[in-house]
Amino acid sequence: MKRPQTDPDQSDAIVKTIFEEVRTKGDLAVAKYTSLLDGTNPETTAVTTAEILQAKDQISEDLKKAIATAQINIEKFHRAQQSPKIVVETMEGVTCWQEKKPIQKVGLYIPAGTAPLFSTVLMLAIPAQIAGCNEIILCSPPNKNGQIDPAVLYAAFQCGITKIYKIGGIQAIAAMTFGTATVPKVYKIFGPGNQYVTAAKQYAYQFGVAIDMPAGPSELLIVADESAVPKYIAADLLSQAEHGKDSQVILVSNSESLITAVEAAVNEQIAFLPRQEIAVKAIANSSLIYIPEPEDTLRFINDYAPEHLMICSENESFYIDGIQNAGSVFIGNFTPESAGDYASGTNHTLPTNGFSKNYSGVCLDSFLKSVTFQKISPKGLQNLGPTIEIMATAEGLDGHKNAVTLRLADLNETL
Amino acid sequence: MKRPQTDPDQSDAIVKTIFEEVRTKGDLAVAKYTSLLDGTNPETTAVTTAEILQAKDQISEDLKKAIATAQINIEKFHRAQQSPKIVVETMEGVTCWQEKKPIQKVGLYIPAGTAPLFSTVLMLAIPAQIAGCNEIILCSPPNKNGQIDPAVLYAAFQCGITKIYKIGGIQAIAAMTFGTATVPKVYKIFGPGNQYVTAAKQYAYQFGVAIDMPAGPSELLIVADESAVPKYIAADLLSQAEHGKDSQVILVSNSESLITAVEAAVNEQIAFLPRQEIAVKAIANSSLIYIPEPEDTLRFINDYAPEHLMICSENESFYIDGIQNAGSVFIGNFTPESAGDYASGTNHTLPTNGFSKNYSGVCLDSFLKSVTFQKISPKGLQNLGPTIEIMATAEGLDGHKNAVTLRLADLNETL
């Protein structure tokens, strides 16, 4: 059950320092840390329309088409998550309703580093747009030339996001938390990042900014039996392992021969991976586990609470019905985990580190909050009023009772 | 826009100390702080069945009936929030779905202190039961005699909660965070509390425990015009003001004469309140504000983002349609805020301190998390696969591509 961990205390001090500087000095502090940590001094942090149009020219037609397909699928799945206004007359004359409203200002953080994660732009910007968030901004670290990866800019533009800032790391999270002359303050921050970004998001929470979820290294758990194809399983384990040195992949199987075959296939395939060095380190954190009984396997999965769960088993409905804790689930021999990372339609921003026990992955609701309403008619207050009076009295809150008593007195007089 | 604030640093040190002791010493540490802070040494912290049955005998028939009515309304409104499984075939052969699953272990915290908040038991336990949480525990501080208020025990029992612990304050939050020999560890903690409980919940978050929402002092904003009844408005303002010295109540009106009349009515009514001393201090934090234009008023409300919003205006639909940020909204002259506190059916655990900009109040979804699933057929992978391959390549993640390429090669061979 143990996850690879980084020491949080390491990043805490630097997070506090940068937050305090950005809070007091705004854009100046942002520029200082961009220069210091990203090694570049962009003239302005706000990306211009010219830069966005230029990015468009740098994207191949194939990639444009692929992004369009992913966009359609992600949009379909997240649009289907819209929920209607719920209206209930709880008793005669007492009408209650619940409506979801967009979070008005949201900030999307897109890391750079080892890979330009334009797919994460789609995963965050599409539901934000469907939710109807008024102001959607995006921060991403500039490279040495002071540029954001063109695919990231292109994906943002395709999703209708035009407020894009060349700011990364802790200083980006701080800028979105407090606002600067250039960067608007937001109410909720979304997106993955390294341990510093993670620590910064946790810290932002203390200043009243909501965050999508606590983060940790990526992980995949596969449950498979002899109906699974060893080379597919190996490829899926490696696809997760190449994410980062601290990734964790786990295979649980009731078949010792499958475990042996998968191990061999991993060793064979890993040699051909460009990101072999990362994958090798992640594989060192990982396990192939033999569990004979399905009930024990299910208990193990629910205790581990994986970010990604893949089910390749003749017994698949047993696991589908029994799974309680997982971020996203991939079923069958032809559903690789990378389908959900990019284009099936589900979101890839998911709870890691066992957090699928208590957190949802990013979904449409992540960009909404629920507001309740009630309207009571005079008749309704006559029905409900005495209940409120008795309960308020029992809680020693006479002011609460009085607000009802005054009104009921007037209504009884009118009768 | 300024809220009454307490200094968070004051509570941080004591929270860390108690958490560390409870983490390492468990029940012993809990007993130490119960003795020190609550001035009592209950023989066991777990409430017995005998105690629950005894509590039942201490509750008047009137209060039992009132609790039953409230329970029915709250249950109706929260049951209506159940959402179906959402299934979408995003493209031929690619089926995605989203299902909500209960958070398996939840902890409810019910403060004692100035008033026994049995109504909060209903507001938390009812949706937890509807959600289907497997393990629901409740902590509440014991009084000097080592007892929990009978109304709290009765309400819990009526909601089917039987794992009840006589533990309050920071030590309760710590016990639910780490688990002790007596108290089970939970995945999410709900409920209000004083500044120490609030600080403890924030700290618990750092140990991977989710919390319902950040908390602050209670507040009410009323928008009213000449169609409102001054004495009702005054009674509602006072009902909120009696919650605590740090409560805040605000009236916004386009009518100077209404403001004058409400002020007079507040001064008149406050003299009769048993909790007058508290209300007087809260009123000192509060404001009566004249804003002539409805557009400006609406902007003010959305910027303030009140926990409770009351609308008593001929123009009510303008405000209902325009409100973006509020916890719970009360409409018309016969919908006192205390209706939602107890019995209309809506939840009274709401975001304060401007947090209605980014957080929902407690609702059914607070006890659920969403899990996504996908199943792709061979045909589906042939449709979607090339998109994944192109995107993975563009992100430099060859392992991700490979998981698709291997499968597509096999499928093409079969053809």
Side-chain angles (χ1 to χ4, degrees), chain B residues 157-172:
Chain B
F157 182 72
Q158 288 303 106
C159 296
I161 313 293
T162 51
K163 291 187 178 173
I164 306 171
Y165 304 92
K166 300 173 187 175
I167 312 176
I170 301 167
Q171 60 274 23

Side-chain angles (χ1 to χ4, degrees), chain A residues 347-360:
Chain A
N347 209 291
H348 78 196
T349 310
L350 297 167
T352 56
N353 205 23
F355 287 126
S356 61
K357 287 178 180 169
N358 39 15
Y359 290 93
S360 303

